[in-house]
Short mmCIF file of all heavy atoms in Angstrom, two decimals:
data_model
loop_
_atom_site.label_atom_id
_atom_site.label_comp_id
_atom_site.label_asym_id
_atom_site.label_seq_id
_atom_site.Cartn_x
_atom_site.Cartn_y
_atom_site.Cartn_z
N MET A 1 9.57 9.89 -2.43
CA MET A 1 10.13 8.73 -3.11
C MET A 1 9.18 8.28 -4.19
O MET A 1 8.01 8.26 -4.01
CB MET A 1 10.26 7.65 -2.04
CG MET A 1 10.85 6.32 -2.65
SD MET A 1 11.05 5.10 -1.33
CE MET A 1 10.84 3.64 -2.32
N THR A 2 9.71 8.02 -5.35
CA THR A 2 8.87 7.56 -6.40
C THR A 2 8.88 6.02 -6.43
O THR A 2 9.69 5.42 -5.86
CB THR A 2 9.46 8.05 -7.78
OG1 THR A 2 10.76 7.69 -7.86
CG2 THR A 2 9.39 9.56 -7.77
N ALA A 3 8.06 5.41 -7.30
CA ALA A 3 8.01 3.99 -7.42
C ALA A 3 9.29 3.56 -8.01
O ALA A 3 9.85 4.20 -8.88
CB ALA A 3 6.83 3.57 -8.15
N GLN A 4 9.71 2.36 -7.60
CA GLN A 4 10.97 1.84 -8.07
C GLN A 4 10.64 0.60 -8.80
O GLN A 4 9.90 -0.26 -8.29
CB GLN A 4 11.99 1.52 -6.93
CG GLN A 4 12.44 2.71 -6.19
CD GLN A 4 13.30 2.36 -5.11
OE1 GLN A 4 13.58 1.25 -4.79
NE2 GLN A 4 13.82 3.39 -4.36
N THR A 5 11.26 0.35 -9.97
CA THR A 5 11.05 -0.79 -10.76
C THR A 5 12.35 -1.72 -10.60
O THR A 5 13.49 -1.23 -10.79
CB THR A 5 10.91 -0.56 -12.28
OG1 THR A 5 9.80 0.34 -12.33
CG2 THR A 5 10.69 -1.81 -13.10
N ASP A 6 12.12 -2.97 -10.26
CA ASP A 6 13.27 -3.92 -10.15
C ASP A 6 13.64 -4.58 -11.38
O ASP A 6 12.92 -4.41 -12.38
CB ASP A 6 13.15 -4.82 -8.94
CG ASP A 6 12.06 -5.90 -9.19
OD1 ASP A 6 11.71 -6.09 -10.33
OD2 ASP A 6 11.65 -6.57 -8.15
N THR A 7 14.63 -5.35 -11.42
CA THR A 7 15.09 -6.08 -12.61
C THR A 7 14.01 -7.08 -13.17
O THR A 7 14.11 -7.44 -14.37
CB THR A 7 16.40 -6.82 -12.28
OG1 THR A 7 16.15 -7.72 -11.29
CG2 THR A 7 17.39 -5.80 -12.06
N GLN A 8 13.05 -7.50 -12.36
CA GLN A 8 12.14 -8.48 -12.91
C GLN A 8 10.88 -7.80 -13.38
O GLN A 8 9.82 -8.45 -13.61
CB GLN A 8 11.77 -9.51 -11.78
CG GLN A 8 12.96 -10.25 -11.32
CD GLN A 8 12.77 -10.93 -9.96
OE1 GLN A 8 11.95 -10.52 -9.14
NE2 GLN A 8 13.61 -11.91 -9.73
N GLY A 9 10.86 -6.46 -13.48
CA GLY A 9 9.69 -5.81 -13.96
C GLY A 9 8.66 -5.43 -13.05
O GLY A 9 7.55 -4.95 -13.36
N SER A 10 8.80 -5.72 -11.69
CA SER A 10 7.88 -5.37 -10.70
C SER A 10 8.17 -3.93 -10.14
O SER A 10 9.22 -3.44 -10.28
CB SER A 10 7.67 -6.34 -9.62
OG SER A 10 8.94 -6.37 -8.89
N VAL A 11 7.07 -3.32 -9.66
CA VAL A 11 7.26 -1.96 -9.06
C VAL A 11 6.92 -2.04 -7.61
O VAL A 11 5.97 -2.58 -7.18
CB VAL A 11 6.16 -1.03 -9.74
CG1 VAL A 11 6.17 0.45 -9.28
CG2 VAL A 11 6.33 -1.03 -11.33
N THR A 12 7.77 -1.28 -6.89
CA THR A 12 7.60 -1.26 -5.43
C THR A 12 7.28 0.21 -5.03
O THR A 12 7.99 1.05 -5.44
CB THR A 12 8.82 -1.66 -4.68
OG1 THR A 12 9.17 -3.07 -5.04
CG2 THR A 12 8.76 -1.69 -3.19
N ALA A 13 6.31 0.42 -4.30
CA ALA A 13 5.89 1.78 -3.77
C ALA A 13 5.67 1.60 -2.25
O ALA A 13 5.11 0.62 -1.85
CB ALA A 13 4.67 2.23 -4.52
N VAL A 14 6.01 2.72 -1.61
CA VAL A 14 5.69 2.85 -0.19
C VAL A 14 4.73 3.86 0.21
O VAL A 14 4.94 4.98 -0.32
CB VAL A 14 6.97 2.94 0.67
CG1 VAL A 14 6.74 2.95 2.10
CG2 VAL A 14 7.99 1.81 0.34
N TYR A 15 3.67 3.56 0.91
CA TYR A 15 2.65 4.54 1.24
C TYR A 15 2.54 4.64 2.75
O TYR A 15 2.95 3.80 3.52
CB TYR A 15 1.30 3.96 0.75
CG TYR A 15 1.15 3.81 -0.65
CD1 TYR A 15 1.43 2.60 -1.28
CD2 TYR A 15 0.77 4.91 -1.56
CE1 TYR A 15 1.34 2.37 -2.62
CE2 TYR A 15 0.71 4.61 -2.93
CZ TYR A 15 0.96 3.47 -3.50
OH TYR A 15 0.94 3.28 -4.79
N LYS A 16 2.19 5.77 3.20
CA LYS A 16 1.99 6.23 4.57
C LYS A 16 0.42 6.04 4.84
O LYS A 16 -0.36 6.65 4.23
CB LYS A 16 2.44 7.49 5.00
CG LYS A 16 2.42 7.84 6.41
CD LYS A 16 3.47 7.24 7.21
CE LYS A 16 3.63 7.78 8.59
NZ LYS A 16 4.68 7.09 9.30
N VAL A 17 0.12 5.19 5.88
CA VAL A 17 -1.36 4.98 6.24
C VAL A 17 -1.45 5.37 7.67
O VAL A 17 -0.74 4.82 8.56
CB VAL A 17 -1.75 3.52 5.92
CG1 VAL A 17 -3.20 3.31 6.45
CG2 VAL A 17 -1.74 3.15 4.52
N THR A 18 -2.48 6.19 8.04
CA THR A 18 -2.63 6.58 9.40
C THR A 18 -3.82 5.78 10.05
O THR A 18 -4.68 5.33 9.28
CB THR A 18 -3.02 8.12 9.47
OG1 THR A 18 -4.21 8.43 8.70
CG2 THR A 18 -1.86 8.97 8.97
N GLY A 19 -3.65 5.57 11.29
CA GLY A 19 -4.69 4.81 12.07
C GLY A 19 -4.40 3.38 12.45
O GLY A 19 -5.13 2.84 13.19
N MET A 20 -3.39 2.75 11.78
CA MET A 20 -3.12 1.41 12.07
C MET A 20 -2.42 1.31 13.45
O MET A 20 -1.51 2.02 13.74
CB MET A 20 -2.17 0.78 11.07
CG MET A 20 -2.70 0.57 9.62
SD MET A 20 -1.66 -0.31 8.59
CE MET A 20 -0.15 0.67 8.49
N SER A 21 -2.87 0.29 14.27
CA SER A 21 -2.27 0.16 15.68
C SER A 21 -1.89 -1.23 15.98
O SER A 21 -1.39 -1.43 17.00
CB SER A 21 -3.24 0.80 16.63
OG SER A 21 -4.40 0.11 16.62
N CYS A 22 -2.24 -2.22 15.13
CA CYS A 22 -2.06 -3.59 15.54
C CYS A 22 -1.96 -4.51 14.41
O CYS A 22 -2.08 -4.06 13.24
CB CYS A 22 -3.24 -4.13 16.47
SG CYS A 22 -4.77 -4.07 15.65
N GLY A 23 -1.78 -5.74 14.61
CA GLY A 23 -1.67 -6.78 13.50
C GLY A 23 -2.88 -6.88 12.80
O GLY A 23 -2.93 -7.14 11.55
N HIS A 24 -4.05 -6.79 13.45
CA HIS A 24 -5.36 -6.95 12.71
C HIS A 24 -5.50 -5.77 11.75
O HIS A 24 -5.94 -5.92 10.52
CB HIS A 24 -6.44 -6.89 13.72
CG HIS A 24 -7.82 -6.94 13.03
ND1 HIS A 24 -8.39 -8.09 12.50
CD2 HIS A 24 -8.77 -5.90 12.87
CE1 HIS A 24 -9.53 -7.82 11.97
NE2 HIS A 24 -9.89 -6.50 12.20
N CYS A 25 -5.08 -4.52 12.08
CA CYS A 25 -5.10 -3.38 11.28
C CYS A 25 -4.11 -3.76 10.01
O CYS A 25 -4.64 -3.38 8.86
CB CYS A 25 -4.52 -2.15 11.94
SG CYS A 25 -5.51 -1.61 13.36
N GLU A 26 -3.02 -4.24 10.26
CA GLU A 26 -2.07 -4.55 9.16
C GLU A 26 -2.72 -5.49 8.16
O GLU A 26 -2.67 -5.39 6.99
CB GLU A 26 -0.82 -5.03 9.72
CG GLU A 26 0.04 -4.21 10.50
CD GLU A 26 1.12 -4.88 11.27
OE1 GLU A 26 1.19 -6.10 11.33
OE2 GLU A 26 2.05 -4.22 11.74
N GLY A 27 -3.36 -6.49 8.78
CA GLY A 27 -4.02 -7.48 7.88
C GLY A 27 -5.15 -6.96 7.19
O GLY A 27 -5.42 -7.29 5.99
N SER A 28 -5.90 -6.09 7.69
CA SER A 28 -7.15 -5.45 7.03
C SER A 28 -6.67 -4.58 5.80
O SER A 28 -7.19 -4.72 4.69
CB SER A 28 -7.90 -4.62 7.96
OG SER A 28 -8.52 -5.35 8.98
N VAL A 29 -5.59 -3.75 6.02
CA VAL A 29 -5.05 -2.95 4.96
C VAL A 29 -4.43 -3.80 3.86
O VAL A 29 -4.66 -3.65 2.68
CB VAL A 29 -4.04 -1.99 5.51
CG1 VAL A 29 -3.26 -1.21 4.44
CG2 VAL A 29 -4.73 -0.90 6.42
N SER A 30 -3.61 -4.88 4.27
CA SER A 30 -3.03 -5.72 3.32
C SER A 30 -4.03 -6.46 2.57
O SER A 30 -3.83 -6.55 1.25
CB SER A 30 -2.10 -6.68 4.13
OG SER A 30 -0.98 -6.12 4.70
N ALA A 31 -5.07 -6.97 3.11
CA ALA A 31 -6.09 -7.65 2.33
C ALA A 31 -6.75 -6.85 1.28
O ALA A 31 -6.97 -7.24 0.13
CB ALA A 31 -7.13 -8.26 3.32
N GLU A 32 -7.13 -5.56 1.62
CA GLU A 32 -7.87 -4.66 0.70
C GLU A 32 -6.84 -4.29 -0.51
O GLU A 32 -7.33 -4.36 -1.65
CB GLU A 32 -8.33 -3.42 1.43
CG GLU A 32 -9.47 -3.63 2.29
CD GLU A 32 -10.79 -4.19 1.66
OE1 GLU A 32 -10.90 -3.88 0.44
OE2 GLU A 32 -11.54 -4.82 2.33
N ILE A 33 -5.63 -3.98 -0.13
CA ILE A 33 -4.73 -3.49 -1.25
C ILE A 33 -4.34 -4.78 -2.11
O ILE A 33 -4.27 -4.61 -3.30
CB ILE A 33 -3.46 -2.88 -0.68
CG1 ILE A 33 -3.84 -1.52 0.02
CG2 ILE A 33 -2.34 -2.64 -1.76
CD1 ILE A 33 -2.73 -0.87 0.73
N SER A 34 -4.29 -5.92 -1.48
CA SER A 34 -3.92 -7.12 -2.22
C SER A 34 -4.92 -7.46 -3.33
O SER A 34 -4.68 -8.10 -4.28
CB SER A 34 -3.72 -8.28 -1.29
OG SER A 34 -2.69 -8.22 -0.53
N GLY A 35 -6.18 -6.94 -3.14
CA GLY A 35 -7.22 -7.19 -4.01
C GLY A 35 -7.23 -6.34 -5.31
O GLY A 35 -7.96 -6.54 -6.30
N LEU A 36 -6.32 -5.41 -5.31
CA LEU A 36 -6.15 -4.48 -6.47
C LEU A 36 -5.40 -5.29 -7.71
O LEU A 36 -4.57 -6.03 -7.32
CB LEU A 36 -5.34 -3.26 -6.14
CG LEU A 36 -5.95 -2.30 -5.15
CD1 LEU A 36 -5.00 -1.21 -4.91
CD2 LEU A 36 -7.25 -1.69 -5.69
N PRO A 37 -5.89 -5.11 -8.90
CA PRO A 37 -5.23 -5.71 -9.94
C PRO A 37 -3.71 -5.52 -10.13
O PRO A 37 -3.29 -4.40 -10.00
CB PRO A 37 -5.90 -5.20 -11.18
CG PRO A 37 -7.23 -4.59 -10.75
CD PRO A 37 -6.93 -4.19 -9.33
N GLY A 38 -2.90 -6.52 -10.29
CA GLY A 38 -1.46 -6.46 -10.44
C GLY A 38 -0.64 -6.45 -9.21
O GLY A 38 0.53 -6.57 -9.31
N VAL A 39 -1.36 -6.45 -8.07
CA VAL A 39 -0.55 -6.43 -6.79
C VAL A 39 -0.07 -7.87 -6.48
O VAL A 39 -0.85 -8.80 -6.51
CB VAL A 39 -1.46 -5.91 -5.58
CG1 VAL A 39 -0.72 -6.14 -4.28
CG2 VAL A 39 -1.82 -4.42 -5.82
N SER A 40 1.26 -7.94 -6.22
CA SER A 40 1.78 -9.25 -5.94
C SER A 40 2.14 -9.47 -4.49
O SER A 40 2.13 -10.60 -3.98
CB SER A 40 3.02 -9.56 -6.83
OG SER A 40 4.01 -8.51 -6.69
N SER A 41 2.39 -8.42 -3.78
CA SER A 41 2.62 -8.51 -2.26
C SER A 41 2.39 -7.14 -1.68
O SER A 41 2.51 -6.13 -2.25
CB SER A 41 3.98 -9.08 -1.99
OG SER A 41 4.98 -8.07 -2.16
N VAL A 42 2.00 -7.31 -0.38
CA VAL A 42 1.71 -6.11 0.45
C VAL A 42 2.30 -6.39 1.83
O VAL A 42 2.02 -7.43 2.46
CB VAL A 42 0.15 -5.77 0.58
CG1 VAL A 42 0.01 -4.56 1.49
CG2 VAL A 42 -0.44 -5.56 -0.77
N THR A 43 3.09 -5.38 2.41
CA THR A 43 3.61 -5.52 3.79
C THR A 43 3.26 -4.26 4.49
O THR A 43 3.66 -3.15 4.14
CB THR A 43 5.12 -5.65 3.66
OG1 THR A 43 5.48 -6.88 2.98
CG2 THR A 43 5.74 -5.86 5.22
N ALA A 44 2.35 -4.41 5.53
CA ALA A 44 1.91 -3.28 6.29
C ALA A 44 2.59 -3.38 7.74
O ALA A 44 2.66 -4.44 8.29
CB ALA A 44 0.38 -3.30 6.44
N VAL A 45 3.05 -2.20 8.19
CA VAL A 45 3.76 -2.18 9.43
C VAL A 45 2.97 -1.14 10.28
O VAL A 45 3.17 0.15 10.00
CB VAL A 45 5.26 -1.90 9.35
CG1 VAL A 45 5.87 -1.81 10.69
CG2 VAL A 45 5.88 -2.86 8.51
N ALA A 46 2.25 -1.53 11.28
CA ALA A 46 1.45 -0.59 12.14
C ALA A 46 2.35 0.44 12.82
O ALA A 46 1.99 1.63 12.93
CB ALA A 46 0.57 -1.38 13.14
N ALA A 47 3.47 -0.05 13.32
CA ALA A 47 4.35 0.87 14.10
C ALA A 47 4.80 2.06 13.38
O ALA A 47 4.94 3.16 13.92
CB ALA A 47 5.59 0.08 14.66
N SER A 48 5.12 1.95 12.05
CA SER A 48 5.58 2.97 11.27
C SER A 48 4.50 3.58 10.43
O SER A 48 4.69 4.68 9.90
CB SER A 48 6.80 2.48 10.45
OG SER A 48 6.22 1.58 9.40
N GLY A 49 3.34 2.88 10.26
CA GLY A 49 2.37 3.37 9.33
C GLY A 49 2.66 3.10 7.88
O GLY A 49 2.00 3.70 7.00
N GLU A 50 3.75 2.44 7.60
CA GLU A 50 4.18 2.25 6.23
C GLU A 50 3.65 1.00 5.62
O GLU A 50 3.54 -0.07 6.22
CB GLU A 50 5.66 2.27 6.11
CG GLU A 50 6.25 3.59 6.41
CD GLU A 50 7.82 3.68 6.07
OE1 GLU A 50 8.42 2.73 5.81
OE2 GLU A 50 8.21 4.94 6.28
N VAL A 51 3.23 1.04 4.33
CA VAL A 51 2.69 -0.02 3.61
C VAL A 51 3.49 -0.17 2.34
O VAL A 51 3.47 0.83 1.58
CB VAL A 51 1.12 0.07 3.30
CG1 VAL A 51 0.72 -1.13 2.49
CG2 VAL A 51 0.43 0.28 4.66
N THR A 52 4.23 -1.27 2.16
CA THR A 52 5.08 -1.52 1.00
C THR A 52 4.27 -2.37 -0.04
O THR A 52 3.81 -3.47 0.43
CB THR A 52 6.38 -2.03 1.30
OG1 THR A 52 7.05 -1.28 2.34
CG2 THR A 52 7.31 -2.32 0.17
N VAL A 53 4.14 -1.98 -1.18
CA VAL A 53 3.16 -2.57 -2.25
C VAL A 53 4.20 -2.98 -3.39
O VAL A 53 4.75 -2.01 -3.95
CB VAL A 53 2.04 -1.74 -2.63
CG1 VAL A 53 1.20 -2.61 -3.61
CG2 VAL A 53 1.24 -1.39 -1.44
N VAL A 54 4.12 -4.22 -3.81
CA VAL A 54 4.85 -4.70 -5.00
C VAL A 54 3.70 -5.05 -6.03
O VAL A 54 2.92 -5.79 -5.74
CB VAL A 54 5.74 -5.89 -4.70
CG1 VAL A 54 6.47 -6.29 -6.03
CG2 VAL A 54 6.78 -5.46 -3.65
N SER A 55 3.86 -4.49 -7.23
CA SER A 55 2.91 -4.75 -8.23
C SER A 55 3.57 -4.84 -9.63
O SER A 55 4.76 -4.54 -9.80
CB SER A 55 1.90 -3.59 -8.21
OG SER A 55 2.49 -2.35 -8.53
N THR A 56 2.88 -5.39 -10.59
CA THR A 56 3.39 -5.50 -11.88
C THR A 56 3.54 -4.22 -12.71
O THR A 56 4.19 -4.17 -13.70
CB THR A 56 2.49 -6.49 -12.69
OG1 THR A 56 1.19 -5.96 -12.81
CG2 THR A 56 2.52 -7.83 -12.16
N ALA A 57 2.70 -3.17 -12.30
CA ALA A 57 2.84 -1.86 -12.93
C ALA A 57 2.46 -0.85 -11.78
O ALA A 57 1.89 -1.20 -10.75
CB ALA A 57 1.82 -1.87 -14.04
N PRO A 58 2.89 0.39 -12.03
CA PRO A 58 2.48 1.42 -11.04
C PRO A 58 0.97 1.49 -10.80
O PRO A 58 0.22 1.31 -11.75
CB PRO A 58 2.99 2.78 -11.72
CG PRO A 58 4.00 2.35 -12.63
CD PRO A 58 3.63 0.98 -13.19
N LEU A 59 0.64 1.60 -9.57
CA LEU A 59 -0.81 1.73 -9.18
C LEU A 59 -1.38 3.07 -9.16
O LEU A 59 -0.66 4.01 -8.87
CB LEU A 59 -0.94 1.01 -7.76
CG LEU A 59 -0.54 -0.39 -7.62
CD1 LEU A 59 -0.70 -0.73 -6.10
CD2 LEU A 59 -1.47 -1.31 -8.43
N ASP A 60 -2.64 3.11 -9.55
CA ASP A 60 -3.33 4.34 -9.42
C ASP A 60 -3.53 4.79 -7.93
O ASP A 60 -4.05 3.88 -7.23
CB ASP A 60 -4.67 4.27 -10.05
CG ASP A 60 -5.53 5.56 -9.94
OD1 ASP A 60 -5.07 6.68 -10.37
OD2 ASP A 60 -6.59 5.54 -9.44
N GLU A 61 -3.02 5.93 -7.49
CA GLU A 61 -3.05 6.24 -6.09
C GLU A 61 -4.46 6.36 -5.57
O GLU A 61 -4.80 6.04 -4.39
CB GLU A 61 -2.29 7.59 -5.82
CG GLU A 61 -2.16 7.77 -4.32
CD GLU A 61 -1.12 8.88 -3.95
OE1 GLU A 61 -0.09 8.91 -4.70
OE2 GLU A 61 -1.34 9.64 -3.02
N GLU A 62 -5.47 6.75 -6.44
CA GLU A 62 -6.89 6.77 -5.98
C GLU A 62 -7.36 5.41 -5.72
O GLU A 62 -8.27 5.21 -4.84
CB GLU A 62 -7.69 7.56 -6.98
CG GLU A 62 -7.39 9.04 -7.03
CD GLU A 62 -7.46 9.62 -5.54
OE1 GLU A 62 -8.49 9.44 -4.91
OE2 GLU A 62 -6.51 10.40 -5.19
N ALA A 63 -6.92 4.45 -6.40
CA ALA A 63 -7.40 3.03 -6.15
C ALA A 63 -6.79 2.54 -4.82
O ALA A 63 -7.46 1.98 -4.09
CB ALA A 63 -6.85 2.13 -7.26
N VAL A 64 -5.59 2.94 -4.59
CA VAL A 64 -5.01 2.51 -3.27
C VAL A 64 -5.66 3.27 -2.21
O VAL A 64 -6.01 2.64 -1.16
CB VAL A 64 -3.46 2.81 -3.23
CG1 VAL A 64 -2.90 2.60 -1.91
CG2 VAL A 64 -2.62 2.09 -4.44
N ARG A 65 -5.98 4.53 -2.36
CA ARG A 65 -6.76 5.23 -1.34
C ARG A 65 -8.14 4.62 -1.07
O ARG A 65 -8.58 4.54 0.14
CB ARG A 65 -6.92 6.72 -1.81
CG ARG A 65 -7.59 7.61 -0.79
CD ARG A 65 -7.72 9.08 -1.31
NE ARG A 65 -6.43 9.62 -1.71
CZ ARG A 65 -5.42 10.00 -0.97
NH1 ARG A 65 -5.56 10.00 0.37
NH2 ARG A 65 -4.31 10.53 -1.43
N ALA A 66 -8.80 4.20 -2.07
CA ALA A 66 -10.11 3.59 -1.91
C ALA A 66 -10.05 2.32 -1.18
O ALA A 66 -10.84 1.98 -0.35
CB ALA A 66 -10.72 3.40 -3.33
N ALA A 67 -8.96 1.49 -1.45
CA ALA A 67 -8.75 0.26 -0.76
C ALA A 67 -8.43 0.46 0.71
O ALA A 67 -8.99 -0.19 1.63
CB ALA A 67 -7.57 -0.50 -1.40
N VAL A 68 -7.58 1.54 1.01
CA VAL A 68 -7.26 1.86 2.39
C VAL A 68 -8.50 2.36 3.09
O VAL A 68 -8.76 1.93 4.27
CB VAL A 68 -6.11 2.86 2.42
CG1 VAL A 68 -5.91 3.35 3.84
CG2 VAL A 68 -4.77 2.14 1.94
N ASP A 69 -9.27 3.20 2.49
CA ASP A 69 -10.57 3.63 3.03
C ASP A 69 -11.50 2.52 3.40
O ASP A 69 -12.09 2.43 4.35
CB ASP A 69 -11.26 4.71 2.05
CG ASP A 69 -10.57 5.96 1.92
OD1 ASP A 69 -9.69 6.35 2.83
OD2 ASP A 69 -10.92 6.72 1.10
N GLU A 70 -11.60 1.55 2.41
CA GLU A 70 -12.46 0.35 2.73
C GLU A 70 -12.06 -0.41 3.82
O GLU A 70 -12.87 -1.01 4.62
CB GLU A 70 -12.39 -0.55 1.42
CG GLU A 70 -13.38 -1.71 1.43
CD GLU A 70 -14.79 -1.33 1.46
OE1 GLU A 70 -15.19 -0.23 0.86
OE2 GLU A 70 -15.68 -2.07 2.00
N ALA A 71 -10.70 -0.39 4.17
CA ALA A 71 -10.20 -1.10 5.38
C ALA A 71 -10.44 -0.29 6.63
O ALA A 71 -10.19 -0.83 7.71
CB ALA A 71 -8.72 -1.44 5.23
N GLY A 72 -10.84 1.00 6.50
CA GLY A 72 -11.12 1.74 7.71
C GLY A 72 -10.05 2.75 8.04
O GLY A 72 -10.07 3.19 9.24
N PHE A 73 -9.06 2.93 7.14
CA PHE A 73 -7.93 3.80 7.44
C PHE A 73 -7.79 4.92 6.50
O PHE A 73 -8.52 4.93 5.45
CB PHE A 73 -6.70 2.90 7.62
CG PHE A 73 -6.82 1.84 8.69
CD1 PHE A 73 -7.17 0.56 8.27
CD2 PHE A 73 -6.58 2.09 9.97
CE1 PHE A 73 -7.40 -0.41 9.14
CE2 PHE A 73 -6.80 1.09 10.93
CZ PHE A 73 -7.18 -0.18 10.51
N GLU A 74 -6.76 5.78 6.69
CA GLU A 74 -6.60 6.86 5.74
C GLU A 74 -5.20 6.83 5.16
O GLU A 74 -4.22 6.61 5.79
CB GLU A 74 -6.77 8.21 6.54
CG GLU A 74 -6.68 9.33 5.63
CD GLU A 74 -6.88 10.73 6.40
OE1 GLU A 74 -7.49 10.76 7.55
OE2 GLU A 74 -6.55 11.81 5.79
N LEU A 75 -5.19 7.05 3.79
CA LEU A 75 -3.88 7.04 3.05
C LEU A 75 -3.48 8.48 3.15
O LEU A 75 -4.06 9.37 2.74
CB LEU A 75 -4.22 6.67 1.66
CG LEU A 75 -2.97 6.68 0.71
CD1 LEU A 75 -1.95 5.59 1.18
CD2 LEU A 75 -3.32 6.60 -0.78
N ALA A 76 -2.26 8.65 3.82
CA ALA A 76 -1.72 9.99 3.94
C ALA A 76 -0.86 10.40 2.63
O ALA A 76 -0.53 11.53 2.41
CB ALA A 76 -0.76 10.04 5.18
N GLY A 77 -0.48 9.37 1.87
CA GLY A 77 0.25 9.65 0.68
C GLY A 77 1.49 8.64 0.52
O GLY A 77 1.59 7.68 1.22
N ARG A 78 2.29 9.02 -0.41
CA ARG A 78 3.42 8.11 -0.66
C ARG A 78 4.74 8.65 0.17
O ARG A 78 4.77 9.80 0.56
CB ARG A 78 3.87 8.14 -2.07
CG ARG A 78 2.82 7.49 -2.95
CD ARG A 78 3.12 7.55 -4.36
NE ARG A 78 4.12 6.48 -4.62
CZ ARG A 78 4.24 5.96 -5.81
NH1 ARG A 78 3.69 6.51 -6.82
NH2 ARG A 78 5.21 5.08 -6.03
N VAL A 79 5.46 7.70 0.64
CA VAL A 79 6.64 8.01 1.38
C VAL A 79 7.79 8.36 0.43
O VAL A 79 7.94 7.85 -0.60
CB VAL A 79 7.11 6.81 2.23
CG1 VAL A 79 8.27 7.08 2.99
CG2 VAL A 79 5.93 6.39 3.19
#
């Protein structure tokens, strides 16, 4: 799946993150990715390992990877 742009100019991308197992994990990943420039919302779901990110422009995947690494998890790629 590629990033999708909605009518308001924001971009939504879904990433697969391995190692999340609880709400604390979701919060850690969300907090790190939220710190990236242009990110307006992050929703992490431990059960599926999916992280949905809404931003003002497409994000650099390496920046997302670094944020996920900083939270202590691994970015498996985009969904």
